[in-house]
Amino acid sequence: TQLLEQSPQFLSIQEGENLTVYCNSSSVFSSLQWYRQEPGEGPVLLVTVVTGGEVKKLKRLTFQFGDARKDSSLHITAAQPGDTGLYLCASSGSARQLTFGSGTQLTVLP
Amino acid sequence: GAGVSQTPSNKVTEKGKYVELRCDPISGHTALYWYRQSLGQGPEFLIYFQGTGAADDSGLPNDRFFAVRPEGSVSTLKIQRTERGDSAVYLCASSQLGVSYNEQFFGPGTRLTVL
């Protein structure tokens, strides 16, 4: 089973600041997904990255897949309180089920 | 359209009791997954259904846990002789195979508390 390590575990920043969170594995990802989870809700898919070196943008969120497909990052520009949540990376490998990292709990203070 | 729904949203039970958790997937989704999420952690896989059959139940922690999906739609996760360590949020997800990179749609979860 592929292990996904996320860092930092917790992040608390002021509105307007930029931030980056990371997802790493010792083995190659076939594809990687980023989810955001808010309290009392299930995770919601933000993006899927597939190709090494790929960069995808979703408004103020920029997702990057490492060239070797063993790491990924999520960068948020000018964070807003609405960005608060648990950010999870996940990969399915050859199986159908997802393996999740332990997540980064982001709090954006107004 | 309706998303994945789960009932109940909260369940409090006593140690040793039996509980059933229900999941209604998105209509037409053939794949259904159960995950368990402890506080401060990411979801952990329990079991995956393709249609009516359990395609992979390798994540079930022991034989107290069992899940069914008799008509290929609604699924029920059953836990016998509950233990305090079973307390967690149980998430259900569904997906349509062959559409994208296994994009899964999650329900809001059932928070199980075993006293």
Side-chain angles (χ1 to χ4, degrees):
Chain A
T1 303
Q2 188 167 29
L3 296 178
L4 280 67
E5 295 183 355
Q6 290 191 245
S7 61
Q9 186 177 0
F10 299 97
L11 188 56
S12 181
I13 62 172
Q14 293 293 136
E15 181 176 3
E17 293 183 352
N18 302 332
L19 66 113
T20 303
V21 299
Y22 301 91
C23 176
N24 296 283
S25 173
S26 58
S27 50
V28 175
F29 297 114
S30 56
S31 64
L32 186 90
Q33 299 177 344
W34 283 94
Y35 288 80
R36 180 170 67 207
Q37 185 177 22
E38 299 186 21
E41 300 294 329
V44 176
L45 180 67
L46 297 174
V47 77
T48 300
V49 287
V50 179
T51 305
E54 183 176 5
V55 177
K56 283 191 173 180
K57 292 191 175 184
L58 184 65
K59 297 183 180 178
R60 293 176 294 100
L61 278 61
T62 301
F63 304 85
Q64 192 158 4
F65 203 15
D67 292 339
R69 290 165 42 221
K70 296 173 70 172
D71 59 274
S72 182
S73 64
L74 159 58
H75 182 80
I76 301 179
T77 303
Q80 300 177 0
D83 296 326
T84 293
L86 179 67
Y87 288 82
L88 296 158
C89 63
S91 181
S92 58
S94 59
R96 295 299 307 173
Q97 64 268 25
L98 294 171
T99 298
F100 284 87
S102 57
T104 293
Q105 180 61 55
L106 172 66
T107 302
V108 182
L109 303 170
Chain B
V4 178
S5 62
Q6 293 186 246
T7 55
S9 56
N10 283 282
K11 176 70 177 179
V12 180
T13 190
E14 294 179 342
K15 179 176 178 295
K17 299 291 188 181
Y18 168 82
V19 296
E20 290 189 351
L21 311 179
R22 176 187 168 107
C23 172
D24 279 275
I26 293 173
S27 178
H29 279 192
T30 55
L32 185 146
Y33 311 80
W34 285 98
Y35 295 85
R36 178 168 70 174
Q37 187 173 25
S38 299
L39 190 63
Q41 299 295 317
E44 293 179 321
F45 168 73
L46 295 176
I47 187 170
Y48 152 54
F49 287 90
Q50 177 52 41
T52 60
D56 186 342
D57 65 357
S58 62
L60 295 178
N62 52 60
D63 61 6
R64 295 186 296 105
F65 289 75
F66 189 71
V68 296
R69 194 186 186 199
E71 298 179 356
S73 179
V74 170
S75 176
T76 305
L77 178 65
K78 308 180 181 190
I79 309 174
Q80 298 177 323
R81 304 183 304 280
T82 52
E83 300 177 356
R84 292 192 180 88
D86 298 335
S87 296
V89 175
Y90 289 81
L91 294 165
C92 176
S94 69
S95 70
Q96 181 66 296
L97 297 182
V99 173
S100 64
Y101 288 96
N102 192 21
E103 178 178 0
Q104 297 185 15
F105 297 84
F106 284 81
T110 293
R111 180 175 297 279
L112 175 65
T113 302
V114 182
L115 301 177

